[in-house]
Amino acid sequence: MNNETIGLLIQGFIILAAFSILYKDNPVFKFTENLYVGIALANWVIVGMDRTYKLGIKPAMAGNLLLVIPLILGAASYLMYSRKYNWIGRIPLSMMAALGLAFSARGLMTINFIGQIKAMMVPLTNWENVLSIVGATLAILYFFYSVEQKGPMGSLTTVGRWFLMLAMGAFLSQSLFMYCTNVIGSVQNLLEPPAYMLIPVAVALVAIDAVVSKMGIYWRSSK
Amino acid sequence: MSWLDKVTRDPRPLYIITLIVLVFPLINPIALPIPISDWTRGMYDFIEDMAPEERILLTGHWGYRYGELYPQFLAVLEHCARKGVKIVILDGSPETPTFTQAAFKELSIPERLEYGVDYIELGYLPGGEVMIAGLCANFYSIVQKDYFGNLLSEMEITTDIKDIRDFAAVIVFTGSADSQSWLNQAYAPYGVPVGHSLYAAKVVDSEAYFRAGAIFGIINGLRGSAEYELLINRPGVGASMMGSASLVHLLVIFALALGAVAFLQQKMQGRA
Amino acid sequence: MEMREIYVYAAFTMGVLGLLEYFFNVPFIGAIVGNFQNWIVIMSSVMLGMGAYNNLSFNISKIKNKRRGWAYSIVCVVSFVLMMLLGLYVKLDIQRPEWFFWYNNIATTASSALWAIALFYIVSAAFRAMRPRNLDAAILLMSAVLVIFNNAPVAGAIHPALPAIGAWTFKLAAETGMRALLIGIAIGVTSLGLRVIMGREKRALGGFD
């Protein structure tokens, strides 16, 4: 049995264990969930250690002593979890948050605000352009809270809300597509030999549980 | 409670129906025409028009949303490799380097291209938008070595980079705020063209940017990677999944229609 | 100035420098901000372990107190430790085949499969919950159905007009509703950013108060 075969069997087990929640909550699903969480966390820590060493510790040891400051600040951020010293932990986080927000804000105003308004300035030569301008304007009006949304204003914002619902519907459809991809990918992996040999085992286990439940013999539930 | 609610009280038969609808085209493939959208065409044409000495930055999380982003990354990387453009890869999350290596192996990149001359991997740089802003303003202030510890100043592909303007384009493979961050920091201040290769749910906002001319192309999840694979004439994972995806979508439409009928029936009977 | 409020002043300093660097071409400020950007990359690297720290503290506490589901916490902690040992064995190089084998076959597979479950719930919800109870819901569902025609190649096989209708609906949704949301996001983030920099929004700076 080579590595590839073992790998496919492991994948088959993981996929079936994850899908088992669709039958009902069970220990195998919880085991898989926690296994995944442990491994994913370890990945982040290993990469964090690698990056800290290569980007911070190694250059600092090579003479760039200023880099000791971000290393200390980064370590200080763990004090966030201390009740007494969490104000120290907030310092590096607030530095990152503030600088990040400053950078985001300056870019967003150009791209999202000015850019999108510029894009709305299209010639009113066809009904599609008119619809696009009117729709965007009414949708923006929906978020205008300085005037009470009643009467004529209420009617306009209602139409604006319809255009927002169009966008929400598009989100729903796109999300559906996204989840489809994950399922199809998982099922494709499951249908690869020898992983598909686990399918009858899973089906048999589900059948046994279904029969046993019907017969009134229940598994002892965990406290 | 409507008749549909009574029938679907236990959702498990629905799950089995969904699974059957999904599996059937995988076992008996359905050949479906896949028209190419403007978004994918925009991405393809941009890379196709690039000159071989131009540099492109590929960045993103192709390890995380493995099902969608990885096939997209493979397709774009293959196209860039064929065109001979200089490829700089910036891994976008901790798990991405693992899959970058897998992609190199799958496409035989080390055998076709020379590391340090034709392509390079910078590794993962945390820091979010602050890191991106720093990289765009002054490349060497943020990264001095590649993933393997080689000095970038000694690698032919990166030796003359000062800032993001030394790249012809940035293509972001993500579903998170990174797509916005690269627009904010590369396109807005420096005018560097940005392309988005996203998982499907994120495409709605990118469409607004595409219509505004802020991005040159979008790869729309699995459908987009199927289209791109057709354009580069390298059928892969994307094309093989479209049959199943189509049938599941039809099932959802059928479900919505049935739900609407049940609701209207209830309403007419005065029970809604 | 109270010592415990120092993080507010740190945020103010960084935020003002970040904005000044963009609006004024002063080399001194550009150099300082460039330095801080590099520092933040290093700080973020150190902070990559915060999630693990938090999660493990919770799981270890659960094991110690034998709270409900503590056996699964053991699975989490043990898998973390084993993977960490493997990471140290490969000398932190996650491109090594040993790492790729275990990470790809377990974590990537589990991640995809756990996300995939949502599709079944969406199909079930489409039958049971997604009803056009009012005009807003009807427009939402209609939009979803039309955009599906844009994504599913089978729509073109059913009728050639369906993908075009889907693409048009998607374009309209993006140019109207989505545009409004993007403008709103820009205004919202900018105002939040200014509030954080001015010290009026402390919760965003990581406090638990």
Side-chain angles (χ1 to χ4, degrees):
Chain A
M1 217 188 239
N2 61 24
N3 275 349
E4 200 183 325
T5 308
I6 298 171
L8 286 166
L9 282 170
I10 294 173
Q11 284 187 27
F13 171 77
I14 296 287
I15 293 166
L16 287 168
F19 282 8
S20 67
I21 188 70
L22 298 170
Y23 173 60
K24 68 178 178 193
D25 199 10
N26 61 82
V28 179
F29 173 79
K30 288 187 207 164
F31 168 82
T32 306
E33 224 181 9
N34 282 276
L35 182 69
Y36 161 60
V37 168
I39 291 174
L41 289 172
N43 183 64
W44 279 68
V45 173
I46 291 293
V47 172
M49 285 165 66
D50 175 65
R51 296 282 85 194
T52 304
Y53 177 70
K54 285 181 179 161
L55 297 174
I57 297 174
K58 210 168 159 187
M61 279 163 48
N64 190 351
L65 292 172
L66 267 180
L67 293 182
V68 173
I69 301 172
L71 288 169
I72 294 172
L73 284 171
S77 65
Y78 286 84
L79 291 169
M80 278 287 293
Y81 299 113
S82 153
R83 282 194 191 280
K84 197 173 171 191
Y85 297 113
N86 73 15
W87 62 274
I88 300 176
R90 287 190 215 182
I91 297 170
L93 284 166
S94 61
M95 286 168 67
M96 289 172 66
L99 200 59
L101 281 166
F103 281 123
S104 289
R106 61 194 216 187
L108 276 173
M109 289 312 274
T110 311
I111 295 287
N112 278 22
F113 191 72
I114 297 168
Q116 292 299 320
I117 291 171
K118 265 168 87 173
M120 277 168 67
M121 292 175 187
V122 288
L124 301 174
T125 48
N126 60 52
W127 65 274
E128 281 176 345
N129 286 354
V130 172
L131 184 62
S132 152
I133 294 171
V134 167
T137 309
L138 292 178
I140 294 165
L141 205 59
Y142 179 77
F143 296 112
F144 188 66
Y145 301 122
S146 302
V147 175
E148 206 176 349
Q149 293 185 358
K150 273 186 175 173
M153 181 69 171
S155 309
L156 291 173
T157 54
T158 301
V159 177
R161 198 173 64 232
W162 294 346
F163 283 102
L164 287 167
M165 289 298 122
L166 271 180
M168 296 301 131
F171 265 123
L172 173 63
S173 170
Q174 291 294 119
S175 300
L176 170 69
F177 198 57
M178 181 179 82
Y179 293 123
C180 257
T181 314
N182 283 317
V183 176
I184 298 166
S186 297
V187 170
Q188 273 186 330
N189 286 348
L190 195 57
L191 293 176
E192 295 266 338
Y196 63 65
M197 293 195 289
L198 295 173
I199 298 173
V201 174
V203 170
L205 286 171
V206 166
I208 292 167
D209 183 78
V211 165
V212 160
S213 307
K214 281 280 181 209
M215 284 166 62
I217 305 165
Y218 297 102
W219 300 115
R220 194 172 3 159
S221 59
S222 55
K223 287 183 187 166
Chain B
M1 202 186 259
S2 72
W3 55 271
L4 187 62
D5 291 325
K6 287 178 194 158
V7 162
T8 58
R9 198 181 308 177
D10 184 353
R12 288 178 291 190
L14 288 173
Y15 300 156
I16 295 172
I17 292 169
T18 308
L19 212 50
I20 293 169
V21 165
L22 214 118
V23 167
F24 179 77
L26 293 176
I27 299 170
N28 299 301
I30 306 169
L32 290 166
I34 304 177
I36 311 293
S37 61
D38 291 344
W39 306 324
T40 317
R41 177 64 66 181
M43 183 76 82
Y44 176 83
D45 286 346
F46 189 94
I47 297 175
E48 191 63 17
D49 292 340
M50 283 178 75
E53 64 273 9
E54 285 186 305
R55 214 180 270 120
I56 193 166
L57 179 66
L58 304 181
T59 178
H61 308 235
W62 43 82
Y64 178 53
R65 280 283 188 265
Y66 185 70
E68 288 192 279
L69 298 180
Y70 187 67
Q72 295 168 355
F73 176 62
L74 283 180
V76 170
L77 184 62
E78 172 65 20
H79 192 197
C80 291
R82 284 186 198 169
K83 283 299 298 180
V85 299
K86 308 293 179 197
I87 307 166
V88 177
I89 292 177
L90 175 64
D91 300 309
S93 65
E95 53 273 329
T96 309
T98 314
F99 294 93
T100 307
Q101 203 50 235
F104 288 165
K105 223 170 152 182
E106 195 168 329
L107 300 178
S108 306
I109 294 290
E111 288 81 27
R112 294 159 61 186
L113 304 176
E114 192 182 341
Y115 189 83
V117 175
D118 302 312
Y119 76 107
I120 196 168
E121 186 188 354
L122 302 178
Y124 168 57
L125 294 171
E129 190 155 356
V130 178
M131 179 280 293
I132 293 169
L135 198 75
C136 291
N138 184 348
F139 190 80
Y140 277 99
S141 72
I142 299 294
V143 59
Q144 296 87 34
K145 293 184 179 177
D146 71 352
Y147 181 82
F148 305 102
N150 305 308
L151 278 172
L152 296 180
S153 52
E154 290 172 5
M155 308 291 258
E156 192 183 308
I157 190 174
T158 46
T159 188
D160 60 343
I161 297 178
K162 292 187 189 55
D163 56 40
I164 199 68
R165 285 172 292 193
D166 293 312
F167 289 88
V170 178
I171 300 181
V172 192
F173 297 79
T174 187
S176 69
D178 277 8
S179 54
Q180 178 80 63
S181 301
W182 282 99
L183 271 178
N184 291 348
Q185 307 305 332
Y187 177 74
Y190 303 104
V192 173
V194 173
H196 284 174
S197 184
L198 309 167
Y199 50 83
K202 201 77 173 68
V203 172
V204 188
D205 30 327
S206 285
E207 159 78 346
Y209 296 129
F210 183 75
R211 296 293 161 203
I215 54 177
F216 59 80
I218 305 172
I219 300 183
N220 171 23
L222 179 68
R223 166 72 188 252
S225 60
E227 292 173 18
Y228 212 94
E229 285 162 6
L230 286 174
L231 283 170
I232 62 170
N233 204 18
R234 183 186 170 269
V237 171
S240 70
M241 291 186 182
M242 291 314 294
S244 289
S246 290
L247 289 190
V248 170
H249 280 79
L250 286 183
L251 176 66
V252 169
I253 293 174
F254 172 71
L256 291 172
L258 215 57
V261 163
F263 176 73
L264 288 170
Q265 202 178 29
Q266 250 189 319
K267 204 168 175 183
M268 282 194 300
Q269 288 169 352
R271 278 188 279 142
Chain C
M1 181 179 90
E2 204 188 303
M3 276 305 279
R4 295 177 75 90
E5 298 285 310
I6 199 171
Y7 67 95
V8 179
Y9 299 98
F12 175 77
T13 310
M14 297 297 265
V16 165
L17 282 172
L19 290 170
L20 283 176
E21 188 258 347
Y22 184 66
F23 291 108
F24 299 99
N25 191 9
V26 179
F28 169 67
I29 295 176
I32 293 179
V33 171
N35 217 26
F36 280 137
Q37 283 166 339
N38 191 25
W39 284 14
I40 280 168
V41 171
I42 298 168
M43 278 156 58
S44 304
S45 306
V46 181
M47 288 181 197
L48 280 176
M50 277 181 98
Y53 176 84
N54 198 16
N55 188 288
L56 288 173
S57 314
F58 169 75
N59 279 310
I60 290 170
S61 148
K62 212 169 155 186
I63 296 167
K64 264 198 223 166
N65 299 319
K66 290 204 168 34
R67 289 202 300 271
R68 187 187 167 115
W70 66 273
Y72 303 111
S73 294
I74 295 177
V75 172
C76 184
V77 172
V78 166
S79 61
F80 174 82
V81 169
L82 289 175
M83 212 60 188
M84 283 295 296
L85 290 172
L86 179 62
L88 293 170
Y89 170 74
V90 299
K91 298 187 175 61
L92 310 181
D93 181 3
I94 62 171
Q95 291 192 341
R96 290 264 295 267
E98 299 92 335
W99 180 273
F100 181 75
F101 176 81
W102 291 106
Y103 187 83
N104 181 45
N105 287 321
I106 300 179
T108 309
T109 308
S111 164
S112 288
L114 290 168
W115 274 99
I117 294 164
L119 174 73
F120 297 95
Y121 295 142
I122 290 177
V123 171
S124 168
F127 275 100
R128 305 193 61 195
M130 293 182 193
R131 306 278 166 89
R133 288 175 219 282
N134 50 42
L135 185 56
D136 291 347
I139 293 172
L140 189 149
L141 293 174
M142 204 60 228
S143 167
V145 168
L146 291 174
V147 173
I148 283 175
F149 293 145
N150 183 40
N151 284 330
V154 77
I158 295 171
H159 193 287
L162 290 176
I165 295 170
W168 183 84
T169 310
F170 197 101
K171 184 166 167 277
L172 182 68
E175 285 181 347
T176 56
M178 200 59 226
R179 194 158 272 167
L181 287 168
L182 290 176
I183 291 171
I185 287 166
I187 297 169
V189 169
T190 306
S191 57
L192 174 68
L194 288 171
R195 283 177 63 83
V196 166
I197 290 167
M198 296 301 155
R200 290 185 168 275
E201 191 72 51
K202 291 178 190 172
R203 287 184 73 85
L205 299 178
F208 290 119
D209 316 330

